[in-house]
Amino acid sequence: MEKTDAMIILGHRLEEGCRPSEDLVRRIDCAVAHWKATNVPIVMPCGGITPGHDRTEAEVMREMLVERGMPAEIIHLEDRSRITIENILNAKRLLGEGKRVALVTSDYHVERALEDCRHAGLDAYGVGAVTPAGEYRDRMFAEEARIAQKMNELRAQGLTDQQITDGIVERMRQFGAVSPEEVEARRRS
């Protein structure tokens, strides 16, 4: 078994009522199985708040992990990000340097997420939650290839991952995505 200092679990958009998507359930189940196999000491669910919700993906994931038997004290949330590269940059900051990380996400997302880890300088190996064969899986593999190509183009133009993140998040705000400040305001009200 590979040395593993921490496990990062990438979020997935929540359904109405802050319910987890099928992809997110598969990621959580995969993460729990990997945790049982490795006894990794730090588990970091990643994902901020998205439009129409008052809870973060990370909060929902923590509840799911605890329900499946994971000790709450090993779970450390990264709950401010909205996109993969932002998940990775924030998680790396929270974990610190020199960690070997298991990166749990959907099988169709592993390759691009690991590429983002390499660019961010995060030592990671992928653990892919299996997506059932069919149209959805095929569509998601194609979409991830398109996004990876776009990310490579932006990097080839000399943009840093932080600049890419800032640009994408700004566009999301223009289309109504929720800012971290809005999350705090909602929690206080």
Side-chain angles (χ1 to χ4, degrees):
M1 187 60 60
E2 289 203 47
K3 175 186 182 283
T4 309
D5 298 307
M7 180 179 356
I8 294 171
I9 311 165
L10 298 179
H12 192 272
R13 72 181 171 279
L14 299 174
E15 303 290 338
E16 187 176 323
C18 293
R19 288 178 295 113
S21 66
E22 290 179 25
D23 275 341
L24 189 55
V25 171
R26 283 190 291 270
R27 290 178 190 190
I28 292 298
D29 290 342
C30 181
V32 169
H34 194 70
W35 168 71
K36 287 178 179 178
T38 62
N39 202 28
V40 62
I42 299 170
V43 176
M44 186 171 288
C46 296
I49 200 154
T50 53
H53 299 100
D54 59 359
R55 300 182 65 217
T56 68
E57 293 171 8
E59 290 170 327
V60 171
M61 293 162 68
R62 174 181 49 207
E63 288 176 6
M64 296 170 68
L65 292 165
V66 170
E67 287 170 0
R68 286 162 172 77
M70 189 175 288
E73 61 271 11
I74 72 169
I75 302 171
H76 304 271
L77 303 185
E78 186 291 295
D79 60 358
R80 297 186 59 85
S81 57
R82 284 122 323 168
I83 59 174
T84 302
I85 188 62
E86 190 178 29
N87 292 145
I88 291 164
L89 292 171
N90 289 346
K92 182 182 176 197
R93 269 187 232 113
L94 291 169
L95 290 171
E97 296 292 330
K99 300 283 192 282
R100 177 71 170 151
V101 175
L103 181 74
V104 178
T105 189
S106 299
D107 52 3
Y108 59 78
H109 191 228
V110 169
E111 188 176 331
R112 181 172 71 86
L114 285 176
E115 182 67 17
D116 287 347
C117 287
R118 283 189 287 278
H119 281 277
L122 185 62
D123 182 16
Y125 64 93
V127 180
V130 177
T131 306
E135 181 185 330
Y136 174 76
R137 183 175 193 268
D138 295 344
R139 189 173 70 247
M140 295 311 296
F141 267 106
E143 178 68 9
E144 287 301 322
R146 186 191 65 74
I147 294 169
Q149 179 181 354
K150 183 63 176 172
M151 292 290 288
N152 288 334
E153 290 169 6
L154 292 170
R155 289 174 176 135
Q157 293 171 16
L159 294 174
T160 67
D161 285 341
Q162 190 61 58
Q163 290 170 323
I164 293 168
T165 297
D166 293 344
I168 293 169
V169 169
E170 180 56 35
R171 282 193 294 279
M172 289 171 65
R173 282 192 186 116
Q174 292 171 0
F175 290 102
V178 181
S179 71
E181 294 77 23
E182 291 171 289
V183 172
E184 291 305 314
R186 285 183 186 182
R187 287 182 178 165
R188 281 188 236 118
S189 61

